Amino acid sequence: MITDKFGIQMFSLRASFDANARKTLKMVAKMGYKGVEVAGLGCLSPGEYKEICGELGLEIYSAHIGENDLTDEKFAETVAMLNTLGCKRAVLAWIKTPDSVDGVTDACNRLNKYAEMLSGDGIEFHFHNHDGEMKTLDGKKSILERLIEGTSTKVYFELDTGWCNFGGGDSRDIISRYADRIKLVHLKQIKSQNERITTEFENGNVIDVSQIVSVCKKVGIDHFIVEQDNSDDEMLSAKMNADYLLQK
């Protein structure tokens, strides 16, 4: 067994969830997942989502949000949703990749602002990377490294290992060097370095899941979240990935 403590980013099951939220969450628990990362509520209210997860023994690890959810107009609503869910980790799912040093500085300022805003309500702020953040602007440090080093310690990072490695980074190195800033890890497999296609753990070669989990455990990171952006059969892929971690 690689690990038995892992959740799933519900974006991986978006079609199934939209069709039948309760049934999808029930299947997630049955597959062996211990938690979920919220990616929209579908037809459920925050209270209903929390209640169903509670009944199924699923922990709500975190929730993905967008910058639009942190505007002055939407902030109170976003905090209310997170509090009703009982979710204390908000993850900014995406930003437009900065293309200059000034752009990185602007992004750092925004991340700092969001972290400060949410911390006042007892919510941790995290940023989720894509492969674009692994580019360098000067041939030295990647944009992701600049974001980590250029933000306050109130800004945490959810390292997406698949996009990190596909973009030219080394997830194990990033985790080891910035362990104090990374609390959540996305386990994501990419078909190959030449094919930007997410796939099941056993059907790609961009990350070594076992090695990444091992490094994480050494530095005290224990929240693993499976994410597969696209699949011809969401449920089958989710089960394959769960079975892989459990070594069934």
Side-chain angles (χ1 to χ4, degrees), residues 25-240:
L25 290 168
K26 185 176 181 180
M27 290 300 297
V28 164
K30 186 176 180 180
M31 291 175 196
Y33 289 93
K34 298 297 192 296
V36 297
E37 182 170 62
V38 177
L41 300 175
C43 65
L44 302 177
S45 69
E48 289 170 334
Y49 201 119
K50 180 183 179 180
E51 182 180 3
I52 294 169
C53 286
E55 291 171 356
L56 296 170
L58 291 170
E59 179 184 349
I60 298 179
Y61 285 175
S62 47
H64 269 204
I65 59 174
E67 287 193 270
N68 60 305
D69 295 310
L70 297 170
T71 61
D72 291 342
E73 296 77 17
K74 292 287 293 293
F75 182 73
E77 180 184 339
T78 299
V79 169
M81 176 198 72
L82 293 167
N83 283 335
T84 303
L85 285 169
C87 177
K88 291 301 181 181
R89 300 184 188 93
V91 183
L92 182 60
W94 175 89
I95 61 170
K96 183 178 180 181
T97 304
D99 58 5
S100 66
V101 173
D102 286 344
V104 173
T105 299
D106 177 68
C108 287
N109 290 338
R110 298 200 320 272
L111 298 185
N112 283 333
K113 175 185 175 182
Y114 301 147
E116 192 65 38
M117 290 166 60
L118 288 165
S119 68
D121 289 283
I123 297 169
E124 284 184 358
F125 174 74
H126 300 245
F127 172 69
H128 167 263
N129 67 283
H130 289 79
D131 50 325
E133 281 81 47
M134 303 319 299
K135 297 175 183 176
T136 62
L137 299 174
D138 57 5
K140 297 178 182 178
K141 292 181 180 179
S142 67
I143 293 170
L144 179 61
E145 290 170 301
R146 289 178 178 273
L147 291 174
I148 296 173
E149 295 176 10
T151 50
S152 80
T153 54
K154 287 186 178 180
V155 178
Y156 293 99
F157 291 79
E158 176 178 67
L159 185 69
D160 190 305
T161 58
W163 290 138
C164 175
N165 284 24
F166 182 79
D170 181 340
S171 294
R172 291 174 296 171
D173 174 61
I174 295 288
I175 291 164
S176 296
R177 287 192 291 119
Y178 299 110
D180 60 328
R181 303 291 298 282
I182 299 169
K183 290 191 175 184
L184 302 171
V185 168
H186 268 194
L187 297 176
K188 174 181 293 172
Q189 187 63 280
I190 315 290
K191 193 167 184 181
S192 75
Q193 287 293 161
N194 299 314
E195 299 172 276
R196 195 179 186 276
I197 302 170
T198 60
T199 190
E200 297 76 28
F201 293 140
E202 63 195 65
N203 292 327
N205 59 21
V206 170
I207 69 166
D208 185 313
V209 179
S210 182
Q211 288 185 9
I212 288 173
V213 170
S214 177
V215 170
C216 285
K217 288 182 176 179
K218 286 179 182 177
V219 298
I221 299 170
D222 63 357
H223 277 77
F224 304 106
I225 300 169
V226 175
E227 182 179 42
Q228 185 172 333
D229 296 35
N230 297 289
S231 170
D232 292 332
D233 188 328
E234 294 178 342
M235 283 296 184
L236 176 60
S237 294
K239 186 175 188 309
M240 289 173 66

